[in-house]
Amino acid sequence: MTPIAILFSTPLKRFLREKVLLGNAPSWELLAILSIYFVQGVLGLSRLAVSFFLKDELGLSPAAMGALIGLGAAPWIIKPVLGLLSDTVPLFGYRRRSYLWLSGLMGSAGWLLFAGWVGSGTQAGLVLLFTSLSVAIGDVIVDSLVVERAQRESLAQVGSLQSLTWGAAAVGGIITAYASGALLEWFSTRTVFAITAIFPLLTVGAAFLISESSANGEDSKPEPRAQIKLVWQAVRQKTILLPTLFIFFWQATPSAESAFFYFTTNELGFEPEFLGRVRLVTSVAGLIGVGLYQRFLKTLPFRVIMGWSTVISSALGLTTLILITHANRAIGIDDHWFSLGDSIILTVTGQIAFMPVLVLAARLCPPGIEATLFALLMSVMNLAGVLSFELGSLLTHWLGVTETQFDNLALLVIITNLSTLLPLPFLGLLPAGDPQENQAMEAVDVPGDRLVLPPAEVFEHHTVGSLSDQNFLPEFVPEKSSSLP
């Protein structure tokens, strides 16, 4: 029996379906979808390389790096536009395959440009936009494929495919977390970029496994105007608009991550291998945060969990001052051990603080326009993330924090942490209960009281004290891995 025959033999196929694929039948198309999400997680391999490249080889200041990284996330703001484009403008006769080909080829070309062409901050900014756009395009397309398949799921399977996609991205990220630092001990940043350029090509190969009929023979094209009209009517409702405004301002508070990265590498002398180790640990810590939210906090009202988690996260973020002032050395704690422990705590609390935001965004979407409105809400959050980095860059510049001058870093951390408390007086904008009940919507009856949506690409920045590297591409976090509140 050939390996392919063994793979799809009845006993193994049953095992894969029931135990590994959460009830989804194994197929080449499913393998293609999961591989695309896996590639998106694997691209984290280059994150530390980008940070060190901008800092050491291009000689950018902390303020300039923060501004550049914030700008690099801009393509994720137009994700709904990319979705409409793929729905209405077929390329080479296809609405899905061709855009996946484009995404993979753009991604590979972008990393090759990093490896052999980029030599200035301006060029780096342009290529960051290019590579970020490539991932955003691929994510829009693969999300649409997941939505199409999920609509055909039975009630007992609801959420299973979305859980698989998030798991594939998370596995890819965890696998490359440590390697992102370890490779920099052996190779140059440009070599790491060249290695990264290989993975987007897997998306090109996966596109050939997607089942799709040519769009050339269709009599009519999808009409987006009606959908846009429905979304516009929805966002004008106070039950949707006011919580969205709160989320935007909460997410838009300034970030000090770029300055802190320079401090840990230039002042404390942390090596890439150690930062890779921290990335691995914090990736797992993020999963722990999701689990704690799922187990103990999922039933709390949005106002309560958002209020307390914001206060606690802000207070714990100030523990970074211990490292900045070297107070940990006075009590005999090594910088590496303190940073590792602090990063774990801050990642867990940051994830717990962020989960209700994603849950709320999912619950705000009325039936019929869930995908479009949710994509719009994610774009608003990504816009806030970009603004966060730009505001943080301005603060870094005004306070005179540079690659060698860290006298005002403590003040910068205090300001950025306390600024997260500014939206708290407006907690009343959040719904007191389930927003779907407020909109007279019927909740989904899910066996086991669980509903999991596709991964959300959000630009989370409320982890100032953790030593995770700069997120020039949005991280993949579960948008809703808990039961409905």
Side-chain angles (χ1 to χ4, degrees):
M1 185 178 292
T2 65
I4 298 297
I6 294 175
L7 178 62
F8 289 100
S9 63
T10 301
L12 182 57
K13 191 173 182 179
R14 186 183 302 114
F15 172 80
L16 289 174
R17 178 170 185 162
E18 296 177 0
K19 303 299 183 181
V20 179
L21 301 178
L22 305 181
N24 293 276
S27 67
W28 290 117
E29 184 178 61
L30 178 60
L31 176 63
I33 291 174
L34 296 181
S35 67
I36 294 171
Y37 281 107
F38 177 79
V39 168
Q40 291 176 342
V42 166
L43 290 180
L45 180 70
S46 60
R47 284 198 172 98
L48 273 176
V50 169
S51 297
F52 279 99
F53 179 77
L54 298 179
K55 180 178 77 75
D56 296 332
E57 297 194 34
L58 299 187
L60 298 186
S61 67
M65 177 190 281
L68 202 63
I69 290 173
L71 181 64
W76 295 81
I77 300 172
I78 61 170
K79 190 180 175 187
V81 177
L82 297 176
L84 286 174
L85 185 65
S86 69
D87 285 337
T88 57
V89 183
L91 293 179
F92 306 109
Y94 295 97
R95 293 195 175 93
R96 304 300 184 228
R97 283 185 183 176
S98 53
Y99 281 93
L100 288 176
W101 294 332
L102 179 64
S103 169
L105 293 175
M106 286 177 59
S108 183
W111 291 114
L112 288 176
L113 287 173
F114 255 123
W117 176 71
V118 172
S120 68
T122 301
Q123 293 173 345
L126 291 174
V127 177
L128 276 179
L129 280 172
F130 188 74
T131 54
S132 184
L133 178 61
S134 72
V135 182
I137 292 173
D139 188 70
V140 166
I141 302 305
V142 76
D143 277 355
S144 67
L145 293 172
V146 169
V147 170
E148 291 169 2
R149 290 178 63 105
Q151 289 174 345
R152 303 192 296 266
E153 288 183 331
S154 66
L155 191 61
Q157 288 181 289
V158 169
S160 62
L161 180 57
Q162 293 92 330
S163 299
L164 279 177
T165 61
W166 175 77
V171 168
I174 291 175
I175 287 176
T176 57
Y178 178 74
S180 64
L183 284 178
L184 291 175
E185 298 287 344
W186 305 327
F187 305 109
S188 68
T189 55
R190 293 185 184 272
T191 301
V192 174
F193 296 149
I195 295 173
T196 305
I198 299 172
F199 294 103
L201 297 178
L202 297 178
T203 299
V204 178
F208 288 97
L209 302 178
I210 299 298
S211 300
E212 181 183 9
S213 301
S214 174
N216 291 331
E218 295 182 3
D219 297 330
S220 61
K221 295 181 179 180
E223 177 55 59
R225 293 182 181 178
Q227 196 81 343
I228 294 175
K229 183 179 180 180
L230 289 174
V231 172
W232 173 245
Q233 292 174 348
V235 297
R236 294 173 60 186
Q237 299 177 18
K238 289 185 177 180
T239 54
I240 295 177
L241 178 61
L242 295 182
T244 301
L245 288 175
F246 178 88
I247 292 173
F248 176 83
F249 289 117
W250 181 80
Q251 186 73 356
T253 52
S255 165
E257 286 189 20
S258 294
F260 191 73
F261 173 78
Y262 276 75
F263 174 77
T264 56
T265 54
N266 289 358
E267 177 72 14
L268 301 184
F270 289 172
E271 299 295 330
E273 188 275 337
F274 174 73
L275 294 179
R277 196 184 313 165
V278 173
R279 279 204 72 222
L280 174 61
V281 172
T282 54
S283 295
V284 177
L287 298 181
I288 294 174
V290 173
L292 290 175
Y293 178 85
Q294 154 73 17
R295 179 68 177 85
F296 301 107
L297 305 172
K298 62 186 180 183
T299 58
L300 293 179
F302 289 115
R303 294 178 185 177
V304 173
I305 186 64
M306 280 297 300
W308 281 107
S309 62
T310 299
V311 171
I312 294 173
S313 296
S314 178
L316 289 176
L318 294 175
T319 58
T320 307
L321 298 174
I322 298 175
L323 190 65
I324 294 173
T325 60
H326 304 300
N328 58 291
R329 298 177 182 177
I331 55 178
I333 301 178
D334 179 75
D335 291 338
H336 292 78
W337 283 108
F338 181 87
S339 299
L340 190 62
D342 198 41
S343 295
I344 293 173
I345 295 172
L346 290 173
T347 300
V348 171
T349 56
Q351 188 67 67
I352 291 174
F354 199 68
M355 281 299 297
V357 176
L358 298 173
V359 173
L360 176 60
R363 297 298 284 169
L364 287 174
C365 299
I369 55 172
E370 301 97 329
T372 304
L373 183 56
F374 188 81
L376 180 61
L377 292 176
M378 290 298 100
S379 295
V380 170
M381 295 172 67
N382 289 328
L383 175 61
V386 171
L387 182 61
S388 165
F389 264 84
E390 303 308 320
L391 290 175
S393 297
L394 286 175
L395 276 176
T396 301
H397 177 71
W398 288 340
L399 293 176
V401 178
T402 68
E403 54 270 28
T404 57
Q405 178 56 258
F406 302 107
D407 290 346
N408 287 331
L409 179 60
L411 178 59
L412 176 63
V413 169
I414 291 173
I415 293 174
T416 54
N417 269 277
L418 295 184
S419 69
T420 62
L421 302 177
L422 293 178
L424 290 183
F426 304 100
L427 273 174
L429 298 179
L430 298 179
D434 188 344
Q436 290 199 3
E437 293 178 357
N438 296 338
Q439 298 171 23
M441 298 178 185
E442 182 179 357
V444 179
D445 183 16
V446 181
D449 197 28
R450 291 176 61 85
L451 176 62
V452 185
L453 299 175
E457 32 321 285
V458 289
F459 208 23
E460 193 193 336
H461 63 279
H462 295 284
T463 53
V464 175
S466 68
L467 293 183
S468 59
D469 52 289
Q470 307 299 329
N471 298 325
F472 70 95
L473 291 177
E475 291 280 9
F476 290 89
V477 293
E479 145 188 329
K480 190 171 188 297
S481 61
S482 63
S483 63
L484 301 176

